[in-house]
Amino acid sequence: MTTTRPVIEVSGLRKSYGGRAVVDGISFAVEEGEIFGILGPNGAGKTTTVECVEGLRIPDAGRVRVTGLDPVADHDAVSRVLGAQLQESELQEKLTVREALELYAAFYPRPADWRPLAERLGLTGKLDARFGKLSGGQKQRLFIALALIGDPRVVVLDELTTGLDPRARRDTWELIEDIRANGVTVLLVTHFMEEAQRLCDRIAVIDQGRIAALDTPRGLIARATSATLISFTPSVPLDEGELAALPAVASVECEDGRVTLGGTDETVNAVITLLARQHITAHQLRVTDATLDDAFLDLTGVAR
């Protein structure tokens, strides 16, 4: 049987600053063609991890490989297969979009043709516009183009849609899906749960420098304490103790007359049976599945 090597391999990665471990033994592998997400609270070690993958930081310990190459020892070779959009990307304000694309293309021996790339990213009409005059969404599109201009096999996108309005964010998500459809592997660092849930094939949740969980979005959601949320306003008050005693109930909240229960499908059936037995009407009844946000809060212990 033929096996393929992961595009990115990280094993036992450690990095400390001032004696404090920022990355503490992280391991994961990214397969070719994946959109692999990295989630975590601020300061969890996400950006330091990807900077080690990019060769921008030297690990204290562990092993990192990109297409089998060491990002530090083989930095020039890695830069030809890996494109990166950094979290704090900026360009000189007077530089035009055309000048930026031509400049970055000159960095590579065999760059992609930036003209169709600019057209695909909706930048053709902005080629003579100066960077300082671009909107936030246009800047992000330019940064994606610059990350792709070396025709990489893998691209790292760090907090790509921070600061974008909802429309621009969704447009950018479509661009990322197009990038993957064109054969590029994507390593995506984000703190937007909806973004990760929509785009990522697998997600590593990093907390305090370690991987708290690594799974598909669906797999992570299944780990949430309450896989199902039931909320309603009863026609007469209900006893909280009676609600808490229902099968598979994980949480009970009663606020301003509205009841919210966390549980499973079994809990939903039990609630309906209880209401029917006591002849209570449930106004504005809502039953929703847990989200990646719920799973993230459970895994990282971030206060709700």
Side-chain angles (χ1 to χ4, degrees):
M1 183 176 69
T2 301
T3 58
T4 58
R5 189 175 204 170
V7 174
I8 298 174
E9 300 170 274
V10 176
S11 178
L13 179 65
R14 297 181 186 277
K15 184 67 180 178
S16 298
Y17 300 110
R20 184 178 72 88
V22 177
V23 177
D24 189 13
I26 283 178
S27 300
F28 63 87
V30 181
E31 303 298 329
E32 187 163 9
E34 271 195 301
I35 299 179
F36 186 94
I38 294 182
L39 285 176
N42 290 336
K46 307 184 299 296
T47 294
T48 297
T49 297
V50 298
E51 286 177 346
C52 289
V53 170
E54 295 162 340
L56 299 177
R57 297 196 183 274
I58 300 174
D60 296 335
R63 182 176 184 271
V64 180
R65 293 292 183 269
V66 178
T67 65
L69 301 168
D70 185 324
V72 176
D74 306 311
H75 186 74
D76 288 346
V78 169
S79 67
R80 290 193 286 272
V81 297
L82 183 146
Q85 171 271 330
L86 303 178
Q87 186 176 1
E88 298 294 336
S89 298
E90 277 299 329
L91 294 174
Q92 208 281 331
E93 288 203 352
K94 293 185 178 180
L95 197 69
T96 67
V97 171
R98 185 193 308 276
E99 289 168 341
L101 292 167
E102 290 176 342
L103 176 63
Y104 272 66
F107 295 156
Y108 300 95
R110 289 181 296 277
D113 186 343
W114 61 260
R115 293 165 185 82
L117 186 60
E119 182 175 358
R120 182 170 137 221
L121 292 168
L123 293 171
T124 302
K126 292 292 181 178
L127 291 177
D128 295 320
R130 299 189 186 278
F131 178 79
K133 298 296 185 182
L134 299 179
S135 68
Q138 290 163 349
K139 287 180 179 178
Q140 295 296 51
R141 288 170 180 267
L142 175 57
F143 291 139
I144 294 174
L146 298 179
L148 295 174
I149 208 162
D151 198 20
R153 286 180 58 188
V154 57
V155 63
V156 177
L157 305 174
D158 192 353
E159 302 289 7
L160 180 67
T161 61
T162 297
L164 297 187
D165 62 56
R167 177 69 264 170
R169 183 172 295 126
R170 281 164 175 73
D171 287 345
T172 303
W173 292 350
E174 292 178 5
L175 293 175
I176 294 171
E177 290 168 334
D178 287 346
I179 289 167
R180 193 261 292 276
N182 280 273
V184 179
T185 301
V186 178
L187 180 59
L188 177 68
V189 182
T190 182
H191 66 269
F192 289 112
M193 301 300 139
E194 184 184 0
E195 180 168 288
Q197 188 167 342
R198 167 171 167 168
L199 294 176
C200 297
D201 300 298
R202 291 187 301 142
I203 298 168
V205 179
I206 298 178
D207 188 31
Q208 299 180 31
R210 299 181 178 182
I211 290 185
L214 198 167
D215 208 334
T216 63
R218 184 180 294 274
L220 291 174
I221 291 168
R223 302 187 191 195
T225 302
S226 302
T228 302
L229 296 175
I230 310 108
S231 63
F232 59 94
T233 301
S235 55
V236 297
L238 284 163
D239 180 73
E240 286 191 39
E242 190 173 13
L243 291 170
L246 292 174
V249 168
S251 62
V252 178
E253 292 182 14
C254 297
E255 185 175 353
D256 297 329
R258 190 159 183 82
V259 175
T260 302
L261 301 175
T264 66
D265 288 344
E266 185 181 5
T267 310
V268 177
N269 294 330
V271 168
I272 292 172
T273 300
L274 173 67
L275 294 172
R277 186 171 64 244
Q278 297 189 12
H279 305 289
I280 295 174
T281 301
H283 298 288
Q284 296 180 316
L285 176 65
R286 301 285 185 272
V287 179
T288 58
D289 290 332
T291 65
L292 189 58
D293 189 57
D294 298 312
F296 177 81
L297 293 172
D298 285 345
L299 287 165
T300 62
V302 175
R304 291 177 183 270

